[in-house]
């Protein structure tokens, strides 16, 4: 079983929102949104040896996976914008459902993180926009 298949299997048979697998290690999170990705990025984790499986990937999460150097990714749901971003940065991505955009948690509009990075094409600029949006949302 490949690392990607292992990550997908764990994701789909657990309560985790995100699963990363390498040959020797599995990292999981039950946190929602981009929280686990930001946490791993701020811990300076390099995940180039890992494959990831995630429940929902919007463009903001795509940028964070790029910054984390993830090797390949499967999303149960991915936005068109996230898929295009991953492909532009040479990240192999598969998915179960391709959405026009990611909705917010209340299903009253679009994901605020994806909206914040919609017109951004560079990962470091996206990271700054994500952090600014999260700060605004806390207030």
């Amino acid at each position: 079983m490949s690392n990607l298949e292992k990550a997908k299997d764990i994701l789909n048979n657990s309560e985790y929102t995100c699963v990363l697998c390498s040959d020797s290690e599995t990292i999981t999170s039950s946190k929602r949104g981009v929280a686990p990705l930001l946490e791993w990025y701020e811990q300076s984790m390099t995940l180039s040896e890992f494959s990831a499986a995630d429940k929902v990937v919007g463009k903001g999460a795509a940028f964070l996976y790029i910054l984390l150097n993830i090797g390949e990714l499967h999303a149960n749901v991915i936005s068109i914008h996230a898929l295009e971003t991953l492909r532009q940065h040479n990240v192999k991505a598969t998915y179960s459902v391709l959405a026009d955009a990611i909705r917010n948690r209340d299903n009253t509009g679009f994901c605020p993180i994806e909206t914040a990075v919609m017109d951004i094409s560079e990962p470091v600029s996206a990271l700054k926009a994500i952090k600014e949006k999260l700060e605004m949302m806390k207030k």
Side-chain angles (χ1 to χ4, degrees), residues 26-91:
T26 298
I27 302 169
T28 60
S29 179
S30 297
K31 293 181 180 177
R32 295 180 68 178
V34 297
L37 306 177
L38 270 176
E39 191 174 288
W40 296 328
Y41 180 78
E42 290 170 356
Q43 292 171 358
S44 299
M45 294 178 76
T46 301
L47 302 173
S48 58
E49 302 297 317
F50 285 81
S51 296
D54 199 315
K55 292 219 182 253
V56 179
V57 176
K59 190 172 179 181
F63 277 122
L64 292 171
Y65 277 117
I66 291 162
L67 289 168
L68 287 164
N69 265 336
I70 201 73
E72 59 183 345
L73 166 72
H74 175 81
N76 287 353
V77 177
I78 193 168
S79 73
I80 292 170
H81 310 288
L83 184 60
E84 289 171 355
T85 299
L86 290 165
R87 288 182 175 161
Q88 287 168 359
H89 290 85
N90 300 312
V91 176

Side-chain angles (χ1 to χ4, degrees), residues 5-45:
E5 290 169 340
K6 187 167 60 170
K8 284 169 53 177
D9 186 56
I10 293 168
L11 180 75
N12 292 325
N13 292 295
S14 70
E15 296 297 315
Y16 298 123
T17 56
C18 181
V19 178
L20 310 176
C21 291
S22 72
D23 290 339
S24 60
E25 187 178 1
T26 298
I27 302 169
T28 60
S29 179
S30 297
K31 293 181 180 177
R32 295 180 68 178
V34 297
L37 306 177
L38 270 176
E39 191 174 288
W40 296 328
Y41 180 78
E42 290 170 356
Q43 292 171 358
S44 299
M45 294 178 76

